Amino acid sequence: QVQLVESGGGLVQAGGSLRLSCAASGRTLSMYTMGWFRQAPGKEREFVASINWSTASTNYADSAKGRFTISRDNAKNTVYLQLNSLKPEDTAVYYCAARQRSLLKYEYWGQGTQVTVSS
């Protein structure tokens, strides 16, 4: 089992920045890919970014490229999502998730952290 706890969300003005954290417990993450997703009010959940824990190779949704950065700290078993140049349309609940790289589906999910960007 992998338990995921997000933190770092909050209220920020447009153009500001936040760093979201996702602390993982229960297992080492060397065989996992970690992802960030978000869900805005009235919209579907969407993929934001992912990182291969072992290699630190990353993938980004087109909407995230250039503004968001995913990273991981192996010693702390934590994955981060740096949010820069935030826009009101980035307002959403942000979730971290984990999947074994051999599987297609993310298995473990955190409870989410709210990001609100005011205009």
Side-chain angles (χ1 to χ4, degrees):
Q1 61 182 24
V2 177
Q3 293 180 319
L4 305 173
V5 180
E6 303 97 332
S7 63
L11 176 64
V12 64
Q13 291 185 328
S17 298
L18 287 171
R19 189 179 74 164
L20 309 183
S21 299
C22 177
S25 63
R27 294 188 181 277
T28 60
L29 301 175
S30 61
M31 301 301 295
Y32 285 82
T33 289
M34 305 294 296
W36 283 98
F37 296 77
R38 69 184 183 185
Q39 187 167 26
K43 297 183 179 179
E44 298 179 355
R45 185 181 64 193
E46 65 175 342
F47 169 80
V48 177
S50 67
I51 184 167
N52 180 309
W53 193 264
S54 293
T55 67
S57 177
T58 59
N59 289 296
Y60 292 94
D62 288 342
S63 62
K65 292 178 181 177
R67 296 190 300 128
F68 300 169
T69 303
I70 189 170
S71 61
R72 59 98 170 102
D73 186 328
N74 186 59
K76 296 182 178 180
N77 239 36
T78 298
V79 63
Y80 303 97
L81 185 66
Q82 179 69 40
L83 309 174
N84 293 330
S85 301
L86 283 163
K87 305 173 182 179
E89 51 263 43
D90 295 318
T91 295
V93 177
Y94 284 71
Y95 299 91
C96 65
R99 65 170 175 86
Q100 296 185 63
R101 294 195 299 276
S102 61
L103 303 178
L104 298 178
K105 184 179 180 180
Y106 282 85
E107 302 171 277
Y108 306 104
W109 294 83
Q111 292 299 117
T113 185
Q114 176 71 48
V115 172
T116 302
V117 184
S118 63
S119 60

